[in-house]
Amino acid sequence: MKSRSRIFCFSGQVSAFVMAALMVSPPALAQGAEAPDSEEVSGGIEEIIVTARKRDENVQDIPVAVTALSGDALAARGVETTADIARFTPNLQLSNGTAGDGGPTSMTAYIRGVGQDQALITYDPGVGMYLDGVYISRSVGALMDVLDLSSVEILRGPQGTLYGKNTIGGAINLTSAMPSGSLGGKAEVTLGRFDRLDFKASLNVPLVQDVLDAKLTLARLERDGYADRVVAGDTMGDDRTYAAQGIVRWTPSERVTVTLIGDYTDKNSASNYQQIAAINTVAGLTRGRNNLPTTQPKLTSALIGSYGNYESGTSGPNFSNTEVWGSSGTIDIELSDTVALKSITAYRGFTADLGSDNDGTSAQIVESIVNQKQNQLSQELQLLGQTDRFKWLIGGFYMRENVTADETRWIFPEFFPFNQACLPNPPQGNPRNCPPNLSALFFYDQDVKTSAVFAQATAAISDSFNITAGIRYSHEAKELSGNTRFLLNPTAFLVQPYSRDDSWDAFTPMVSVDLKLSQDAMIYAIASQGFKSGGFVAVTLNPAAAGESYDPEKIWTYESGLKAEWLGGTLRTNVAAFYSDYSDVQLSGLENGVVRTTNAGKAEIYGAELEVVARPAPGLDYNLSVGYLHTKIAELAAGVTSTAVGNRLVRSPTWTLNTGLQYAFDLAGAGTLTLRSDATMLSKYYNDIANYEDLAENGYVLVNLRATYALPGDQFELSLFGNNVTNAYYKTGAASAFNDFGFNFAFFGRPAEWGAALKVKF
């Protein structure tokens, strides 16, 4: 009865949501007024072509919840990094405030409450990120500056069949703008608050007419920090970035296209801005440290709020130097009029040197310097075919990856003088009453091999009714080796060298049906499964936990929706409702000196989404998206104490709302003036698995404004913009070391900023 009543309750909530959706006055968003490869209907909204199912399709014709934006739409909305995409997508959370030591290039992604909060290099993301069809396997380096994209697609819900591992929450596809085939380009200069000075330029060059084309994009991005380190005298949030991308497209015949892409980014930044949120004065380490004869401030609640907004007392390491590179080769061959072959070969990697004062206070509690390296080699093959009534795709995927990390972590370094007298280690029984010697050198190296085969087919039972089914088999093997040494005595092992290996297999099926109610309306239902890889404990002060393994997590999602266009194509409404059965949920946190992940049990997820885009008059566009999300821990495995039944999942606000209004004024031959406003609202959400109130974000509203004047011909554009114009102060993430080291800390978003940009097309 309890389960049945819960379903009835959910059905009532969804019904109310859908009724509200149908009563909304002419608005918009879903896939944006401008769209990837869009074709405008006269006086109406553009037709949006996406590749969510590995082939070109109208977004209104596929049974998948997708948000898509073109490069022009991203520019109109002032999108600067991949994290900004969340401002236009329901039930999507993207930020760079992460647990672990990911630095400013690390992106935490959650879709419908499913993702991964840990940025340690051995952890797999829960939302798959793809750049030009290439999987980005780590969180570090996934937060990218948007340089010259043709489109972004956000697929909500598990994508385990066509995309595979670690798309348990969904997938994000980034597609670069290809060479235009004609000589020309564009350049843009941006000035703004905090001495911002950005320069971006792209040049298209036809090397052999209609056969060989090239494109080069360069960028230099620079701005000073927005948060003051009062004690150290420097700032946090500084950024110095150099980036380049080169694309060569060769078309030796009408049926063959070869695309080569290379990219490189060198980002030198300060640490993410953070502040202390709570102090546990009864924790053993905290009490021991407070009893030391030190001039440093005591660890008491007086430290909380001792500095103002955008101020920090940290005085430890404060840098993030990351290099990211990649290359790919894509070959498209039309074997016949009905069969095509695609091959994607890619190599990517990064190095990251990260220094942070993890506790966010002027006291010396936890500080770290982390050096990371990663490389991956991947190959994907797709064979696609279609007839009048049948579309099919079969494929295979292989990836080999290596990640390595050297970490120096100072943990309560004020114990050092007392530890020195106890070297090499306190005698058994600790008769000299030596304090814990916790500062350590961590090393770990992980190899990952992934292989998969997949197939999907769509059968048109009639002109209006389709059935789609697919399945993927994945095999993943991981091998981890590592050790932990005492910082004060590097020849002595706290954790002896170890090596662990394991492998996992998964079948991830999907099935969907869709029915055309009319030329402009479709209803659909889909059931799909996804999984996220298992792994090992790598960072530990406890020898017994070294290499401890955890299993994959899995999810089944059941979704139904309506996609429709109204009023002669001037109004588009997409509605989806979903329920997810989330099992073997991986929860990560610091526990007794171990960054541990456990398969905690089961979670319950359900919700609904509304996306609308409208063009009620020429030049006027309005967009709206609303997301409702319910999440909670439903069952816990034996021995799990890091969370509780009834707790919400991390970064899962009950409500997300995004809205935008844009109007283009025709200045009667003197050009065009376009005014745009965007607002994003999130309700309360928790940033950690224990649902600490001091780490929760109680909800916020972000408002961005932009005005763009374009001369006739659109060759010159001048934009004035303001981001977060109300100067909202909000958490972007948090981490807890409350029970182990005696503190919680939170990361915060950027303050109000303004600037001007000049763009020239030639």
Side-chain angles (χ1 to χ4, degrees):
M1 288 296 294
K2 185 176 181 180
S3 175
R4 184 178 297 177
S5 65
R6 186 164 55 234
I7 293 174
F8 286 156
C9 178
F10 174 56
S11 299
Q13 290 171 325
V14 171
S15 298
F17 187 92
V18 173
M19 289 296 294
L22 296 176
M23 295 172 64
V24 171
S25 60
L29 171 56
Q31 284 74 38
E34 308 88 349
D37 299 327
S38 59
E39 179 180 342
E40 184 174 344
V41 179
S42 178
I45 303 164
E46 288 87 354
E47 178 184 273
I48 300 170
I49 305 301
V50 296
T51 57
R53 301 198 298 180
K54 306 289 188 180
R55 63 174 78 236
D56 292 342
E57 297 174 295
N58 186 331
V59 73
Q60 294 300 105
D61 294 336
I62 61 174
V64 181
V66 184
T67 298
L69 292 168
S70 71
D72 290 340
L74 297 173
R77 290 159 171 79
V79 171
E80 297 174 0
T81 72
T82 47
D84 293 334
I85 299 166
R87 294 194 280 115
F88 316 105
T89 309
N91 289 330
L92 171 64
Q93 287 272 284
L94 301 174
S95 74
N96 68 340
T98 60
D101 295 288
T105 67
S106 178
M107 187 169 73
T108 299
Y110 281 82
I111 294 179
R112 296 176 174 175
V114 180
Q116 172 58 262
D117 196 46
Q118 266 290 349
L120 293 174
I121 196 171
T122 55
Y123 280 81
D124 296 302
V127 173
M129 175 77 75
Y130 295 81
L131 176 61
D132 297 315
V134 179
Y135 177 58
I136 308 298
S137 63
R138 298 294 136 193
S139 297
V140 177
L143 200 155
M144 308 175 192
D145 295 293
V146 173
L147 300 182
D148 195 10
L149 295 178
S150 68
S151 68
V152 173
E153 300 172 10
I154 301 95
L155 288 65
R156 300 188 298 281
Q159 306 296 321
T161 302
L162 293 182
Y163 291 86
K165 70 166 188 171
N166 305 333
T167 58
I168 189 168
I172 300 173
N173 288 332
L174 309 175
T175 303
S176 299
M178 292 293 110
S180 65
S182 58
L183 182 63
K186 59 185 177 182
E188 182 176 3
V189 177
T190 302
L191 303 174
R193 191 183 181 194
F194 304 115
D195 290 331
R196 177 178 177 179
L197 177 58
D198 295 350
F199 174 77
K200 301 178 184 179
S202 294
L203 178 64
N204 289 280
V205 179
L207 301 176
V208 179
Q209 191 66 39
D210 299 327
V211 175
L212 188 63
D213 300 303
K215 176 171 171 284
L216 177 65
T217 300
L218 300 174
R220 177 185 181 274
L221 314 174
E222 182 174 327
R223 70 176 87 183
D224 292 341
Y226 62 90
D228 294 321
R229 297 215 306 168
V230 178
V231 175
D234 56 5
T235 57
M236 307 176 82
D238 308 58
D239 181 37
R240 305 289 184 275
T241 298
Y242 297 88
Q245 182 191 60
I247 303 176
V248 175
R249 172 164 281 190
W250 178 40
T251 310
S253 71
E254 291 184 355
R255 291 187 178 269
V256 178
T257 301
V258 180
T259 305
L260 304 177
I261 304 176
D263 64 86
Y264 174 80
T265 299
D266 182 6
K267 180 178 283 287
N268 299 287
S269 308
S271 298
N272 291 324
Y273 166 56
Q274 63 196 56
Q275 277 200 351
I276 192 78
I279 292 178
N280 184 356
T281 57
V282 299
L285 289 173
T286 304
R287 286 188 288 109
R289 189 265 183 197
N290 283 344
N291 289 329
L292 293 177
T294 175
T295 58
Q296 293 289 324
K298 301 296 183 183
L299 302 183
T300 68
S301 57
L303 283 177
I304 303 172
S306 57
Y307 295 98
N309 293 355
Y310 306 111
E311 290 184 342
S312 173
T314 58
S315 57
N318 178 35
F319 61 86
S320 172
N321 303 323
T322 306
E323 291 183 81
V324 182
W325 61 87
S327 59
S328 67
T330 301
I331 304 174
D332 292 283
I333 304 175
E334 294 183 16
L335 300 176
S336 68
D337 291 340
T338 59
V339 180
L341 175 68
K342 172 176 280 192
S343 169
I344 305 173
T345 307
Y347 178 80
R348 297 196 63 83
F350 69 78
T351 62
D353 297 321
L354 312 169
S356 58
D357 190 339
N358 302 96
D359 54 81
T361 74
S362 57
Q364 291 182 297
I365 306 176
V366 179
E367 299 174 359
S368 62
I369 293 179
V370 176
N371 308 111
Q372 301 175 338
K373 295 181 180 179
Q374 184 264 0
N375 64 79
Q376 64 179 70
L377 176 66
S378 62
Q379 173 66 53
E380 180 165 346
L381 291 173
Q382 303 169 16
L383 185 65
L384 303 91
Q386 66 179 57
T387 63
D388 290 342
R389 292 285 186 181
F390 194 67
K391 296 179 181 179
W392 54 269
L393 181 155
I394 59 175
F397 175 79
Y398 175 80
M399 189 180 79
R400 186 181 68 220
E401 180 191 22
N402 174 260
V403 297
T404 303
D406 281 292
E407 303 180 358
T408 302
R409 297 186 183 273
W410 292 267
I411 303 172
F412 286 86
E414 287 170 307
F415 288 153
F416 278 8
F418 307 94
N419 293 138
Q420 292 282 359
C422 302
L423 292 178
N425 291 305
Q428 188 166 354
N430 198 12
R432 283 179 271 171
N433 195 29
C434 295
N437 186 2
L438 301 176
S439 295
L441 302 169
F442 301 86
F443 170 79
Y444 46 94
D445 180 276
Q446 179 173 273
D447 290 311
V448 184
K449 293 182 180 179
T450 303
S451 55
V453 291
F454 54 92
Q456 184 165 304
T458 299
I461 307 303
S462 69
D463 291 340
S464 59
F465 182 63
N466 299 303
I467 297 177
T468 301
I471 192 167
R472 186 184 190 105
Y473 168 74
S474 301
H475 174 79
E476 180 155 295
K478 290 184 178 181
E479 182 176 351
L480 176 74
S481 60
N483 63 72
T484 306
R485 292 174 291 143
F486 289 101
L487 181 59
L488 290 179
N489 187 22
T491 60
F493 287 100
L494 176 59
V495 176
Q496 292 289 332
Y498 63 88
S499 180
R500 304 284 189 274
D501 63 83
D502 207 341
S503 62
W504 302 272
D505 301 274
F507 286 94
T508 48
M510 67 78 61
V511 61
S512 71
V513 294
D514 61 86
L515 175 66
K516 278 280 191 180
L517 302 177
S518 68
Q519 183 178 349
D520 298 320
M522 179 192 77
I523 57 174
Y524 70 90
I526 181 172
S528 59
Q529 188 181 39
F531 87 105
K532 188 170 72 173
S533 304
F536 306 99
V537 167
V539 177
T540 176
L541 296 170
N542 181 358
E548 181 180 285
S549 67
Y550 53 91
D551 291 327
E553 62 178 15
K554 297 180 180 180
I555 196 169
W556 267 105
T557 293
Y558 310 92
E559 177 181 324
S560 61
L562 165 68
K563 296 185 175 185
E565 293 186 351
W566 317 79
L567 305 177
T570 60
L571 173 65
R572 178 181 295 152
T573 60
N574 291 345
V575 183
F578 57 89
Y579 177 87
S580 295
D581 183 7
Y582 192 13
S583 60
D584 294 323
V585 179
Q586 296 173 3
L587 296 182
S588 304
L590 183 62
E591 181 181 314
N592 298 321
V594 181
V595 181
R596 173 174 277 125
T597 295
T598 56
N599 295 104
K602 294 184 178 181
E604 178 184 82
I605 301 174
Y606 58 79
E609 295 155 350
L610 163 69
E611 298 184 288
V612 188
V613 57
R615 182 165 292 170
L620 177 62
D621 295 287
Y622 179 77
N623 51 269
L624 171 75
S625 74
V626 182
Y628 168 76
L629 181 64
H630 166 90
T631 70
K632 75 172 184 178
I633 299 293
E635 297 179 19
L636 281 182
V640 175
T641 60
S642 57
T643 189
V645 171
N647 276 11
R648 289 185 63 87
L649 296 179
V650 173
R651 304 195 189 196
S652 55
T654 301
W655 293 100
T656 59
L657 184 147
N658 310 287
T659 184
L661 178 65
Q662 176 177 300
Y663 188 75
F665 296 87
D666 187 345
L667 302 181
T672 305
L673 176 63
T674 302
L675 304 180
R676 182 173 184 89
S677 64
D678 290 286
T680 300
M681 184 278 285
L682 280 75
S683 64
K684 180 179 179 178
Y685 61 90
Y686 291 95
N687 281 301
D688 72 302
I689 58 177
N691 285 190
Y692 281 113
E693 290 295 336
D694 52 69
L695 296 182
E697 169 52 54
N698 290 318
Y700 61 87
V701 177
L702 295 180
V703 178
N704 293 348
L705 303 175
R706 193 174 190 92
T708 300
Y709 170 69
L711 287 174
D714 293 330
Q715 286 186 295
F716 295 90
E717 290 183 4
L718 175 64
S719 298
L720 304 178
F721 61 87
N723 296 332
N724 187 13
V725 295
T726 62
N727 203 35
Y729 189 66
Y730 61 99
K731 298 182 181 75
T732 59
S736 174
F738 194 73
N739 293 322
D740 275 48
F741 302 146
F743 65 92
N744 290 339
F745 63 94
F747 299 95
F748 292 84
R750 300 186 68 88
E753 297 182 80
W754 52 85
L758 176 64
K759 181 185 293 186
V760 179
K761 299 178 183 179
F762 54 90

